[in-house]
Amino acid sequence: MSAHMTPEQFRVHGHQVVDWIADYYERIESLPVLSQAEPGAVRAALPAEPPEQGEPFDAVLRDLDEVILPGITHWQHPSFFAYFPANASGPAILGDLLASGLGVQGMLWATSPAATELETHVLDWLASLFDLPAAFRGNGVIQHTASDAALVALVAALHRVSGGSTEHNGVHSGQFAVYTSAQTHSSVEKACRVAGLGADALRKIDIDPATQAARSEHLRALVEADVAAGIHPALVVASVGATGTGAVDPTRELAVIAREHGAWLHVDAAWAGVATICPELRWLNYGVELADSYCTNPHKWLLTNFDCDAFWVADRGALIGALSILPEFLRNAATDSGEVIDYRDWHVPLGRRFRALKLWTVIRWYGAEGLREHIRGHVALAQEFASWVAADDRFELVAPHPLALVTFRLREGDDATRALMDRVNASGKLYLTHTVVNGAVALRMAIGSPQTQRRHVQAAWAALSAT
Ligand code: PLP
């Protein structure tokens, strides 16, 4: 067997793989949602040493079924209600496959002009679909994840707050402060650590117990105390759809305070932001016109396979100023002309995949109407689920649920709530996760799989209420 897969062999095995994926989606409902594998079981089934001689591709596909699949938690299962969704879809899978086939590394405009220009263009499409501010147009980039977005927002903020000097990026711990609510995702704390500020730089803004949203007057108190102590407020992160309960911070009020003190305002709308494709959910955009940066993940709830975080800045100057380094080996005429975007300057890695292709195939396949239908269907199912919870005296809802996440608990208390979750998850029939709201354990029902229909939500409620 020759070492390389010939185009003809690729055609044959490629068809097998596509068939495998199509069969997987047809039978996914019959599989247990949560993997039942014990720790170490997958490794124990793999050979200790890699093969010396190449193997037929059929052997790989056989092991995929026998070794890998039992160790898979099926994120695309219609009864996957845990964390937040990580949507996959046919057009996104095919777009990703095309990107792999082209094998482009789009670090510079010159290394594949279409990779850069399609990315800028589809992010403009998204900005228009989400009705984001005009300042974001032409200023979008795909980051791997919302965590990367938080990190680059922080690095840009530090660059700006330290007067545009690259010497000060993140190295003066104790001089700069970052503010988020207690509900904000842990990625912001990680960004503080990675940027060298340390977790001590993070100030937690108090939340309103009823809405779980940040209290802007507490942000003001925190910022003023820091300024009085000679510490520079660098970054405020507003969560639009926080991970625990889906809380929505008052972005405008937070942004006004950030502006007064020269701090950067980043909006983390990782999960919820894509819902603004529906005009009736555009209230989520309250105050984004004052944001310095904004991110949302099509890889969560907009049918685009992981990874795809859409990130925009209102002014690209600080971002590029913080991240651009031009070694001689990357110099080229297009870069020197200043007329093109080189996305290597917009994120941490140098190299980058052609991720815009999968977003392009998704938007073209579904169209704006198809994407709205996807979001609206889940929001309606969540509202119905919440009404069932509310009507059962054993349960209580613990936070507002305007989108597709419902948080609730058993009135009996934490132990009973946790035990209920463990039992339904062990059944393999559905999967949901928990959080803590106002000091008490709560379950999170996150509806967002493209395969989820009303009958799956009904079955989940039947299992929860009967267990
Ligand atoms: N921000 C929010 C609000 C999230 O819910 C999550 C993940 O669930 C993240 C950030 C981190 O996401 P990522 O995996 O894209 O870094």
Side-chain angles (χ1 to χ4, degrees), residues 165-465:
S165 158
T166 44
E167 279 167 34
H168 295 294
N169 280 350
V171 293
H172 286 225
S173 94
Q175 278 196 1
F176 300 107
V178 173
Y179 309 82
T180 65
S181 93
Q183 283 290 317
T184 297
H185 193 266
S186 52
S187 50
V188 178
E189 179 173 336
K190 194 183 262 188
C192 289
R193 294 202 217 166
V194 175
L197 296 183
D200 289 352
L202 189 66
R203 314 283 188 257
K204 292 279 172 77
I205 311 168
D206 286 350
I207 54 170
D208 176 324
T211 61
Q212 301 288 303
R215 287 180 46 240
S216 56
E217 61 278 26
H218 188 233
L219 172 66
R220 182 173 294 286
L222 290 171
V223 166
E224 287 176 359
D226 278 331
V227 171
I231 296 170
H232 302 289
L235 174 72
V236 176
V237 179
S239 288
V240 171
T243 316
T245 62
V248 178
D249 287 342
T251 303
R252 182 191 294 271
E253 281 73 14
L254 302 184
V256 165
I257 299 166
R259 281 204 170 184
E260 278 170 25
H261 294 277
W264 185 283
L265 191 287
H266 174 62
V267 176
D268 176 1
W271 162 66
V274 298
T276 56
I277 197 163
C278 303
E280 69 276 19
L281 297 174
R282 296 257 165 86
W283 55 269
L284 291 164
N285 281 345
Y286 172 75
V288 290
E289 66 284 358
L290 297 182
D292 293 291
S293 56
Y294 177 97
C295 82
T296 186
N297 289 355
H299 73 225
K300 280 188 162 58
W301 196 14
L302 205 68
L303 296 160
T304 309
N305 289 50
F306 193 86
D307 52 333
C308 183
D309 169 84
F311 175 72
W312 290 268
V313 280
D315 172 6
R316 63 174 85 165
L319 181 66
I320 295 175
L323 296 178
S324 179
I325 303 170
L326 185 59
E328 190 54 37
F329 55 82
L330 292 179
R331 285 204 97 95
N332 65 87
T335 298
D336 288 345
S337 77
E339 282 175 22
V340 300
I341 286 179
D342 287 329
Y343 274 131
R344 73 185 176 98
D345 296 334
W346 294 55
H347 57 39
V348 175
L350 169 66
R352 57 202 327 272
R353 301 196 310 118
F354 193 174
R355 284 172 298 207
L357 261 181
K358 62 185 171 192
L359 203 44
W360 192 49
T361 49
V362 165
I363 297 171
R364 294 188 63 181
W365 175 265
Y366 288 95
E369 262 316 311
L371 296 173
R372 284 185 200 114
E373 204 180 301
H374 165 73
I375 299 288
R376 282 181 181 138
H378 294 147
V379 173
L381 288 174
Q383 301 316 307
E384 206 175 357
F385 179 84
S387 73
W388 300 332
V389 175
D392 187 324
D393 320 328
R394 295 168 302 168
F395 290 90
E396 62 182 343
L397 295 165
V398 298
H401 47 82
L403 301 173
L405 172 66
V406 181
T407 39
F408 62 103
R409 68 176 156 233
L410 276 170
R411 290 184 197 273
E412 206 182 320
D414 286 359
D415 291 346
T417 303
R418 221 183 250 117
L420 172 61
M421 177 178 77
D422 291 343
R423 257 181 284 151
V424 294
N425 287 346
S427 76
K429 292 198 181 114
L430 70 149
Y431 181 30
L432 78 174
T433 48
H434 75 286
T435 186
V436 171
V437 182
N438 299 331
V441 173
L443 303 186
R444 298 170 70 262
M445 178 80 176
I447 299 175
S449 163
Q451 337 297 326
T452 303
Q453 298 166 21
R454 186 165 183 271
R455 67 186 170 88
H456 302 110
V457 179
Q458 274 177 317
W461 175 242
L464 284 161
S465 54

Side-chain angles (χ1 to χ4, degrees), residues 55 67 146 279 365:
E55 298 179 61
V67 180
W365 175 265

Side-chain angles (χ1 to χ4, degrees), residues 57-99:
F57 200 74
D58 290 341
V60 177
L61 286 181
R62 195 175 51 243
D63 286 350
L64 181 68
D65 281 322
E66 290 173 9
V67 180
I68 304 299
L69 214 54
I72 293 292
T73 288
H74 301 283
W75 281 71
Q76 305 311 317
H77 195 291
S79 300
F80 184 102
F81 302 113
Y83 309 104
F84 276 135
N87 283 182
S89 71
I93 296 167
L94 296 177
D96 228 1
L97 185 59
L98 290 170

